[in-house]
């Protein structure tokens, strides 16, 4: 059976425990089934004793923010990145109607004053700005998200909660047993959370506007479920609301950044088993970003996806079928707290400031599977976290700790053998568009088939062509410069 | 720096031509933050770890702490009476002349300072540290030019090979000088230089932070542990020799041959060939490289295989754990060159046969411009960690976990070709003193003396 990331710590508390276990098994089983036609994807439940386990780890602070702020070695820029990581942004899909009767969706910043909000329909049929919410995201896209708990009066930092639980798990739990989900929410946040807070009482509605050349007219709210939006949630009565206030403004119970999903991880792992033209074998000198760009899987400016991708790809090219091992999840494998200093500048024992809330640092020998932990001052200490430092950064955000928090994907790989040989592993051309390489300068490069798509005549045997030159050719319409 | 390198070249040339080797007589003097404060030298803006001193970082570094949070194994450096203010590092070609050099200096300093400790360090045969491995094989190449316009370090790779932009000798990563010396452009991701690392105080220009660690080694305990590992694997049906295993723990055979190029045993032809013994990047193989030798002749350096999965050099092997090169890590390969330091290990103590009960080990000296991003990062984030740079376990040679008998689980590819997790508990490297110091330039030193 497929096991959920926190194992059965919640399911076992439900009166419908067995149904929950079977339901989760079906959910993941379906996801694996969907990718199983790729020749080097392994169904982890079918792994034999011959299979090996290995893990890939990355640091939990968003690489994208470090790039954006060009932090290099500059502490001030790094502090700016830490602050930016905690700016939650909210957007609302709105239906834009044109005078010619065409309609399209646009994503605009949440603004209830201008009628730009989502709201579930109440039992009496009303959609009200009193229930307004937006699609919320923390810009924390390395499969680790955190929430800084502040004193409402003083703003002092009381605690920082870190989580790597995927949204799918919580949607599943809440929709199967809302009472239990609300109870666990309450326990994790030490607050009173009701089922109504996390489950939509009615279908969710989004605004519709008529946009003329010189005016914008609000036409009322329409059902969001009828629109095709790219967000990992469902918006009908009885569905779980991942954007509920306890998972956004007032806490972090699970991942919510749109790319931080378990299904994304499974798809990424599956697609990374393919054999790409830029790296037909393990000797090709290709970095993880180029590989990711070529494979078209995952985000380029992240630590996580390119690391997972090149890890899986290495195993697949080395004659293995690969998948994430069961329980499938994203796990916190380590948090290094040696850089913590109290207001006097003294270091503190990790056990005094760390509470491991869900999961186990030694879940299996050598494999940590923690999904939630909190950092707080030692019990009875007369100070708050913002008075402390972490590796010489003020601890007024969770960023410095996220840098020293490592996330892992535990993989499982079944080697091909004489008795059980692997099917062919065809070379596939690259599937990416012109992309910006995160570290190479000049930064732009075009993976090979871009050039070939534009028919500039890249010979077949120069698959690992110099990427900048390929780009130049593309830019000059194929003429050599 | 240019002068020192020139002197080194002279010695090397003389050695190669069989002429008398010019004597080394050198003396470096480095200062702790407390000493500088006492001397009234301004240090505002200096590296914060340096300012606080090494004792404050021991929880991170992993040395076991006893009463009052003081390191239980340190012999000196941790109490008021034995605090390290100055570190003198002297070099002479013979023991008597070294002794007289030191006596002279201790005399000069005796007005204000008392001698805390003195170690006689020396190069053992074939530069072997006490576990028997040739040390000092791998060193970053510093970018930059000498006053006469020639590169600071030899750049033998032919300039039409793009790898000449990244490497000095094959596999020897070029690093911007601001990574080691204050006042120069520093290393950031990619090969282009970062901003200039301005010295926090003008007198600190051209200086460097020197990390000093006195690491006792217990060769017998290490031998027993490797023997235990051998027996453990044998009990699992995996037959590997003692030397085979210890080479997997370090990443090189005892003579310096990288395991990735010679999996079954040492090969002195590779181990002693400076064009080959660093020419590997783990993540992928290296194609042939054309190099120009000292005498002007050219030569083709053979291709080397990659080892992305750690089949030959396990991901936790000492040289891979503390420098993953282009291989896997939690930070990403593009960040690795920033972690490099200029490392100088010298052995201290007598041979076991001469003095079975005596102390012996390695004086670890490393020069850098950011303690937290270099030494401290490498020791704590990587060496001590079971999950970084990879999940293959902590460094089997130098990792510390705050206890006198660290528990480790390490992963090796066993002879039958599978990765295997093994216990590897115990401690054979015991830190017995240390400090963060600042090594000023000669000009800086003059300013310091004048004050
Ligand atoms: C008694 C303790 C130690 C012993 C016996 C030891 C031994 C060795 C040996 C045999 C090598 C291979 C030779 C070479 O590549 O130069 C090596 C390399 C190295 N060691 Fe150590 N070492 C010790 C402590 C340390 C410490 C404390 C650090 C840093 C925190 C360190 C960092 C390095 C680095 C950076 C390399 C070069 C790796 C490379 O670039 O491939 N070592 N060491």
């Amino acid at each position: 059976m497929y096991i959920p990331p926190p194992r059965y710590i919640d399911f076992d508390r439900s009166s419908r425990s067995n149904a929950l276990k079977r339901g989760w098994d079906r959910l993941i089983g379906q996801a694996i089934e969907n990718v199983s036609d790729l020749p080097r994807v392994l169904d982890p439940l079918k792994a034999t004793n011959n299979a090996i386990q290995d893990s890939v780890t990355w640091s939990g602070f968003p690489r994208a923010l470090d790039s954006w702020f060009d932090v290099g070695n500059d502490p001030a820029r790094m502090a700016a990145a830490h602050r930016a990581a905690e700016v939650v942004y909210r957007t609302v899909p709105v239906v834009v109607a044109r005078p010619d009767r065409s309609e399209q969706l646009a994503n605009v910043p949440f603004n209830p004053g201008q009628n730009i909000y989502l709201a579930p329909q109440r039992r009496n049929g009303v959609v009200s700005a009193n229930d307004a919410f937006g699609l919320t995201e923390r810009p924390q896209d390395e499969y680790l998200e955190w929430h800084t708990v502040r004193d409402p009066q003083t703003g002092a930092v009381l605690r920082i909660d870190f989580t790597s639980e995927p949204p799918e798990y919580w949607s599943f739990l809440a929709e199967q047993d809302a009472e239990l989900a609300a109870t666990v929410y309450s326990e994790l946040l030490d607050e009173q959370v009701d089922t109504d807070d996390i489950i939509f009482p009615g279908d969710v509605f989004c605004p519709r506007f008529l946009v003329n050349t010189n005016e914008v007219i609000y036409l009322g709210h329409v059902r969001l479920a009828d629109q095709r939006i790219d967000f990992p949630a469902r918006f009908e009565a009885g569905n779980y609301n991942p954007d509920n206030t306890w998972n956004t403004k007032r806490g972090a119970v699970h991942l919510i950044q749109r790319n931080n999903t378990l299904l994304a991880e499974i798809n990424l792992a599956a697609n990374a088993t393919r054999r790409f033209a830029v790296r037909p074998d393990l000797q090709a000198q290709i970095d993880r970003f180029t590989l990711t760009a070529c494979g078209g899987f995952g985000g380029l400016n992240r630590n996580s996806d390119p690391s997972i991708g090149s890890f899986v790809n290495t195993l697949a090219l080395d004659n293995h079928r690969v998948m994430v091992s069961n329980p499938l999840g994203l796990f916190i494998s380590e948090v290094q707290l040696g850089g913590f200093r109290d207001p006097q500048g003294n270091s503190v024992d990790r056990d005094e400031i760390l509470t491991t809330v869900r999961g186990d640092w030694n879940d299996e020998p050598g494999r940590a599977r923690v999904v939630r932990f909190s950092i707080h001052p030692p019990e009875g200490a007369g100070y708050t976290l913002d008075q402390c430092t972490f590796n010489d950064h003020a601890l007024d955000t969770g960023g410095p700790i996220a840098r020293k928090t490592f996330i892992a994907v535990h993989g499982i790989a079944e080697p091909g053998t004489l008795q059980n040989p692997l099917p062919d592993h065809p070379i596939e051309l690259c599937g990416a568009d012109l992309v910006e390489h995160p570290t190479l300068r000049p930064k732009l490069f075009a993976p090979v088939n871009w050039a070939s798509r534009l028919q500039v005549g890249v010979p077949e045997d120069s698959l690992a062509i110099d990427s900048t030159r390929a780009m130049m050719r593309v830019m000059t319409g194929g003429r050599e410069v | 720096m240019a002068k020192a390198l020139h002197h080194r070249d002279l010695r090397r040339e003389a050695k190669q031509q069989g002429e008398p080797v010019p004597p080394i007589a050198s003396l470096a003097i480095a200062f702790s933050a407390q000493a500088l404060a006492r001397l009234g030298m301004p240090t505002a803006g200096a590296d914060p770890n340096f300012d606080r001193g090494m004792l404050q970082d021991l929880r991170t570094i992993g040395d076991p702490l006893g009463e009052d949070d003081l390191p239980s194994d340190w012999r000196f450096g941790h109490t008021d009476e034995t605090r390290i203010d100055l570190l003198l590092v002297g070099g002479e070609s013979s023991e008597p002349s070294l002794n007289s050099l030191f006596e002279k200096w201790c005399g000069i300093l005796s007005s204000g300072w008392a001698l805390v400790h003195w170690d006689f360090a020396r190069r053992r045969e074939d530069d072997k540290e006490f576990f028997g491995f040739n040390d000092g094989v791998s060193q970053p190449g510093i970018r930059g030019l000498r006053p006469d316009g020639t590169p600071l370090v030899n750049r033998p790779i032919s300039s039409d090979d793009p790898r000449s932009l990244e490497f000095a000798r094959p596999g020897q990563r070029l690093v911007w000088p601001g990574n080691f010396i204050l006042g120069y452009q520093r290393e950031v991701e990619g090969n282009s230089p970062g901003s200039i690392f301005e010295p926090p105080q003008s007198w600190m220009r051209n200086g460097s932070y020197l990390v000093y660690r006195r690491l006792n080694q217990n060769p017998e305990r290490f031998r027993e542990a490797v023997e235990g590992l051998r027996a453990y694997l044998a009990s699992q049906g995996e037959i590997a020799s003692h030397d085979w295993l210890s080479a997997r723990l370090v990443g090189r055979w005892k003579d310096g041959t990288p395991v990735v190029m010679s999996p079954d045993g040492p090969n002195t032809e590779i181990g002693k060939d400076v064009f080959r013994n660093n020419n590997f990047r783990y993540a992928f193989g290296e194609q042939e490289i054309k190099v120009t030798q000292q005498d002007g002749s050219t030569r083709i350096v053979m291709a080397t295989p990659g080892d992305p999965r750690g089949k030959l050099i396990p991901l936790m092997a000492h040289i891979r754990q503390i420098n993953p090169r282009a291989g896997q890590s939690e930070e990403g390969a593009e960040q690795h060159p920033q972690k490099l330091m200029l490392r100088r290990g010298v052995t201290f103590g007598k041979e076991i046969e001469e003095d079975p009960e005596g102390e012996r080990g390695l004086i670890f000296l490393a020069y850098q411009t950011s303690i937290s991003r270099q030494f401290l990062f490498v020791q704590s984030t990587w060496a001590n960690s079971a999950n970084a740079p990879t999940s293959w376990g902590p460094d089997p040679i130098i990792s510390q976990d705050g206890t006198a008998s660290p528990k480790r689980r390490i992963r090796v590819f066993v002879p039958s070709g599978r990765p295997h997790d093994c216990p590897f508990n115990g401690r054979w490297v015991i830190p017995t003193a240390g400090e963060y110091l600042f090594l000023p330039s000669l000009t800086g030193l003059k300013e310091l003396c004048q004050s």
Side-chain angles (χ1 to χ4, degrees):
Chain A
M1 279 244 270
Y2 290 106
I3 303 165
R7 294 194 176 269
Y8 292 137
I9 53 177
D10 304 322
F11 290 2
D12 279 342
R13 297 169 67 181
S14 171
S15 54
R16 306 182 49 242
S17 163
N18 284 335
L20 288 181
K21 290 175 186 174
R22 280 196 305 274
W24 183 261
D25 177 56
R26 267 197 306 277
L27 195 142
I28 299 300
Q30 187 58 53
I32 298 286
E33 175 65 36
N34 290 347
V35 293
S36 61
D37 52 344
L38 286 166
R40 301 249 160 141
V41 164
L42 173 70
D43 178 343
L45 297 187
K46 297 195 181 127
T48 70
N49 285 340
N50 208 19
I52 58 143
Q53 308 229 18
D54 203 352
S55 309
V56 58
T57 313
W58 62 92
S59 146
F61 190 80
R63 191 191 143 74
L65 290 175
D66 277 351
S67 283
W68 178 257
F69 287 93
D70 199 9
V71 295
N73 298 306
D74 185 335
R77 290 190 195 172
M78 210 177 258
H82 294 157
R83 284 192 299 275
E86 298 195 357
V87 178
V88 169
Y89 51 89
R90 293 202 277 177
T91 54
V92 177
V94 296
V95 178
V96 177
R98 305 262 171 206
D100 65 3
R101 292 168 186 265
S102 69
E103 291 205 340
Q104 67 199 130
L105 270 181
N107 235 13
V108 296
F110 176 69
N111 186 348
Q114 302 283 322
N115 290 314
I116 303 174
Y117 63 86
L118 301 177
Q121 197 169 29
R122 293 203 188 142
R123 289 185 222 294
N124 59 8
V126 173
V127 174
S128 157
N130 290 336
D131 308 319
F133 73 98
L135 302 181
T136 311
E137 287 185 84
R138 290 177 271 265
Q140 302 162 359
D141 64 350
E142 303 283 12
Y143 299 101
L144 175 73
E145 296 184 25
W146 61 93
H147 180 79
T148 305
V149 182
R150 293 174 195 273
D151 181 311
Q153 260 81 53
T154 64
V157 179
L158 307 176
R159 197 178 78 220
I160 310 176
D161 294 337
F162 292 81
T163 175
S164 70
E165 293 195 52
E168 291 93 332
Y169 174 74
W170 281 88
S171 301
F172 177 82
L173 181 67
E175 288 170 17
Q176 297 293 320
D177 190 337
E179 292 280 327
L180 176 61
T183 308
V184 183
Y185 253 86
S186 305
E187 292 168 359
L188 294 181
L189 302 176
D190 201 11
E191 299 272 4
Q192 180 55 45
V193 180
D194 300 321
T195 52
D196 283 354
D197 296 346
I198 59 173
I199 300 285
F200 295 128
D203 293 355
V204 174
F205 280 64
C206 73
R208 183 158 167 267
F209 290 95
L210 177 69
V211 179
N212 271 326
T213 25
N214 47 15
E215 56 182 352
V216 175
I217 304 166
Y218 170 60
L219 301 175
H221 269 63
V222 294
R223 282 182 79 245
L224 181 56
D226 297 338
Q227 318 298 327
R228 314 197 79 209
I229 71 161
D230 163 33
F231 202 78
R234 292 178 302 272
F235 296 96
E236 289 170 47
N239 285 152
Y240 170 67
N241 176 11
D243 290 300
N244 72 76
T245 184
W246 299 108
N247 192 39
T248 53
K249 238 163 90 185
R250 303 171 72 173
V253 167
H254 61 79
L255 303 176
I256 194 174
Q257 201 281 339
R258 73 177 66 202
N259 300 319
N260 286 345
T261 71
L262 184 55
L263 291 183
E265 183 205 11
I266 294 172
N267 282 327
L268 162 59
N271 280 305
T273 61
R274 291 152 58 197
R275 189 168 162 226
F276 300 108
V278 283
R279 195 197 193 200
D281 61 46
L282 286 170
Q283 295 293 319
Q285 303 199 352
I286 288 300
D287 67 33
R288 57 191 175 135
F289 302 112
T290 309
L291 181 69
T292 305
C294 177
F297 52 76
L300 210 54
N301 218 345
R302 297 168 87 181
N303 240 326
S304 45
D305 291 359
S307 298
I308 304 170
S310 83
F311 166 79
V312 168
N313 195 249
T314 299
L315 283 162
L317 291 189
D318 200 20
N319 207 31
H320 289 79
R321 285 196 178 87
V322 195
M323 193 23 82
V324 182
S325 68
N326 188 27
L328 283 84
L330 286 310
F331 297 101
I332 300 163
S333 66
E334 184 166 327
V335 51
Q336 297 188 342
L337 296 174
F340 182 90
R341 295 286 180 278
D342 70 12
Q344 272 68 53
N346 297 316
S347 59
V348 174
D349 244 2
R350 70 184 267 124
D351 296 344
E352 294 187 40
I353 53 171
L354 167 71
T355 300
T356 307
V357 184
R358 281 156 77 84
D360 196 332
W361 298 108
N362 201 19
D363 187 57
E364 283 179 278
R367 271 183 292 284
R369 289 202 176 88
V370 167
V371 292
R372 185 182 189 81
F373 71 84
S374 297
I375 300 296
H376 44 72
E379 213 179 312
Y383 57 83
T384 49
L385 290 180
D386 49 307
Q387 298 168 283
C388 305
T389 59
F390 195 89
N391 288 332
D392 291 305
H393 291 287
L395 210 41
D396 52 0
T397 71
I401 297 174
R403 284 184 194 280
K404 290 293 171 200
T405 303
F406 305 143
I407 315 302
V409 161
H410 301 305
I412 182 157
E414 180 83 37
T417 57
L418 275 182
Q419 297 79 18
N420 185 11
L422 299 182
D424 252 13
H425 204 202
I427 295 189
E428 299 179 43
L429 284 182
C430 291
D433 287 343
L434 192 68
V435 284
E436 198 176 344
H437 191 286
T439 67
L440 293 183
R441 284 170 186 79
K443 280 188 151 193
L444 286 170
F445 82 113
V448 282
N449 84 320
W450 233 75
S452 53
R453 227 190 279 165
L454 296 187
Q455 297 180 337
V456 291
V458 180
E460 270 296 315
D461 58 355
S462 67
L463 286 171
I465 48 171
D466 177 308
S467 44
T468 24
R469 245 191 304 148
M471 199 248 343
M472 295 296 285
R473 290 203 212 165
V474 172
M475 305 297 242
T476 55
R479 285 185 310 278
E480 280 286 358
V481 282
Chain B
M1 161 83 55
K3 268 192 205 150
L5 287 169
H6 180 65
H7 191 76
R8 193 193 64 183
D9 289 351
L10 287 180
R11 285 173 52 79
R12 200 178 274 157
E13 262 165 47
K15 219 180 204 168
Q16 274 165 3
Q17 332 240 304
E19 288 165 11
V21 179
I24 358 167
S26 65
L27 184 79
I29 177 161
F31 301 80
S32 73
Q34 291 212 22
L36 292 173
R38 201 177 136 194
L39 290 166
M41 290 306 281
T43 57
D47 184 294
N49 297 83
F50 166 73
D51 261 344
R52 290 186 293 257
M54 188 179 281
L55 281 178
Q56 284 298 319
D57 280 342
L58 290 185
R59 269 210 172 75
T60 321
I61 294 174
D63 296 3
L65 301 180
E67 299 265 301
D68 306 331
D69 280 356
L70 292 177
S72 14
D73 303 312
W74 280 27
R75 300 264 329 279
F76 57 90
H78 57 306
T79 61
D80 273 347
E81 306 81 64
T82 65
R83 190 182 72 210
I84 300 169
D85 285 337
L86 306 183
L87 181 75
L88 295 161
V89 184
E92 266 289 4
S93 8
S94 74
E95 189 168 356
S97 40
L98 185 65
N99 284 341
S100 53
L101 178 78
F102 260 97
E103 264 151 37
K104 184 175 125 204
W105 272 92
C106 289
I108 295 174
L109 292 168
S110 64
S111 55
W113 317 82
L115 183 66
V116 168
H117 186 85
W118 123 309
D119 273 318
F120 178 70
R122 68 201 161 92
R123 292 171 74 166
R124 296 176 73 233
E125 198 196 327
D126 191 26
D127 276 326
K128 287 193 161 141
E129 47 72 41
F130 273 103
F131 298 148
F133 290 85
N134 186 204
D135 194 7
V137 185
S138 163
Q139 193 79 279
I142 309 172
R143 290 184 193 269
L145 304 175
R146 300 180 199 216
D148 67 1
T150 56
L152 205 52
V153 296
N154 188 16
R155 309 249 189 122
I157 303 180
S158 105
S159 59
D160 55 6
D161 184 334
R163 285 171 292 187
S164 64
L165 300 173
E166 231 180 304
F167 298 102
R169 288 198 298 253
Q172 182 187 25
R173 191 64 160 75
L174 283 166
V175 178
W176 292 90
N179 229 37
F180 314 112
I181 303 165
L182 292 171
Y184 297 88
Q185 288 169 309
R186 56 202 293 184
E187 183 76 22
V188 289
E189 0 173 288
N191 286 328
S192 45
S195 56
I196 289 180
F197 198 151
E198 289 297 347
Q201 299 287 334
S202 61
W203 73 271
M204 295 173 96
R205 181 171 299 279
N206 284 322
S208 181
Y209 297 103
L210 167 59
V211 172
Y212 159 64
R213 297 271 287 162
R214 185 177 188 267
L215 303 171
N216 283 31
Q217 286 176 265
N218 189 328
E220 185 52 24
R221 224 185 270 164
F222 181 64
R223 205 194 56 76
E224 283 165 12
V226 178
E227 197 45 37
L229 180 61
R230 196 196 58 72
Y232 170 81
L233 284 173
S235 75
Q236 317 272 309
E238 296 289 345
I239 307 304
S241 74
H242 190 102
D243 280 355
W244 190 96
L245 280 169
S246 66
R248 262 70 188 168
L249 299 175
V250 171
R252 294 183 185 272
W253 296 94
K254 290 192 168 157
D255 71 345
T257 313
V259 175
V260 62
M261 290 177 212
S262 179
D264 303 321
N267 178 342
T268 307
E269 248 173 58
I270 302 174
K272 295 292 171 261
D273 182 345
V274 294
F275 290 127
R276 293 186 72 188
N277 63 17
N278 261 316
N279 190 20
F280 52 98
R281 276 196 268 182
Y282 304 123
F284 33 69
E286 202 67 72
Q287 277 141 30
E288 288 180 347
I289 304 186
K290 191 162 103 191
V291 294
T292 309
Q293 309 188 84
Q294 293 265 286
D295 62 6
S297 63
T298 58
R299 157 182 172 199
I300 302 293
V301 176
M302 272 165 67
T304 33
D307 185 23
R309 293 188 54 213
K311 288 180 182 173
L312 300 170
I313 300 189
L315 275 60
M316 58 70 209
H318 177 55
I319 67 163
R320 190 161 184 170
Q321 181 95 358
I322 41 78
N323 182 11
R325 302 189 179 208
Q328 233 191 75
S329 82
E330 88 295 355
E331 288 227 328
E334 65 286 355
Q335 312 288 343
H336 297 167
Q338 293 173 35
K339 320 288 182 203
L340 297 175
M341 323 166 236
L342 292 177
R343 191 170 51 90
R344 186 86 182 90
V346 263
T347 49
F348 71 93
K350 298 211 165 92
E351 296 300 311
I352 300 190
E353 304 79 56
E354 291 171 51
D355 180 9
E357 301 303 315
E359 282 186 291
R360 59 183 54 78
L362 189 87
I363 308 267
F364 175 87
L365 300 172
Y367 301 89
Q368 56 215 282
T369 47
S370 167
I371 293 167
S372 65
R373 290 180 158 255
Q374 293 171 280
F375 165 73
L376 194 59
F377 182 93
V378 167
Q379 176 75 50
S380 70
T381 301
W382 281 350
N384 294 351
S385 168
N387 298 291
T390 73
S391 61
W392 281 37
D395 186 310
I397 312 291
I398 65 166
S399 63
Q400 307 289 330
D401 73 352
T403 72
S405 50
K407 298 252 181 304
R408 296 184 196 88
R409 224 187 128 73
I410 56 168
R411 173 170 274 216
V412 243
F413 257 89
V414 290
S416 67
R418 294 175 56 82
H420 201 105
D421 291 333
C422 319
F424 197 60
N425 302 333
R427 203 161 63 133
W428 23 91
V429 170
I430 300 120
T432 49
E435 188 51 288
Y436 300 141
L437 302 130
F438 183 76
L439 183 81
S441 68
L442 278 180
T443 323
L445 191 61
K446 274 184 205 135
E447 247 181 81
L448 219 154
C449 291
Q450 275 153 16
S451 81

